[in-house]
Amino acid sequence: MSELSGDALREALKDVFDPELGYNIVDLGLVYGIDINEGEVTVTMTLTTPGCPASDMIQGGVYQRLWAIEGVSDVEVNLVWEPPWSPEAMSPAAKEHFGIAA
């Protein structure tokens, strides 16, 4: 079994896209943190808005993507609204993609 790392899991979550924006949730700045405890993974994240219609799809994508990784024994998504998401949370590549000045 390979050692799980936050960086590796964060990289894997780049496969999960916000269907409305067509961009991955990591570079959008929606993933605030990843905690790993003996294979149990907790992802603390937000969405662009509290009423996001893609909430179930995005959270389902997080579960599906992480469960596919060897060594992951449990996945929990902790959806938070503080701090609220803003475009400033985006990676430089995402800001460039959306035409937002860095």
Side-chain angles (χ1 to χ4, degrees):
M1 174 173 86
S2 61
E3 182 68 26
L4 295 175
S5 74
D7 288 342
L9 297 181
R10 187 174 294 274
E11 193 63 32
L13 287 176
K14 288 184 178 181
D15 292 342
V16 180
F17 280 69
D18 180 316
E20 292 186 302
L21 297 176
Y23 216 80
N24 77 73
I25 63 171
V26 173
D27 285 325
L28 285 173
L30 299 179
V31 177
Y32 290 163
I34 299 173
D35 293 313
I36 306 162
N37 183 14
E38 297 182 8
E40 297 177 1
V41 178
T42 301
V43 177
T44 300
M45 63 176 292
T46 194
L47 299 170
T48 55
T49 61
C52 178
S55 176
D56 290 343
M57 182 179 287
I58 293 170
Q59 290 182 72
V62 170
Y63 284 109
Q64 184 177 29
R65 183 62 187 97
L66 295 181
W67 272 112
I69 296 173
E70 182 183 345
V72 172
S73 62
D74 193 23
V75 177
E76 180 181 341
V77 174
N78 181 20
L79 199 58
V80 298
W81 304 111
E82 291 295 327
W85 178 84
S86 74
E88 287 79 38
M90 290 182 182
S91 71
K95 287 179 182 177
E96 182 178 333
H97 175 83
F98 290 103
I100 297 171

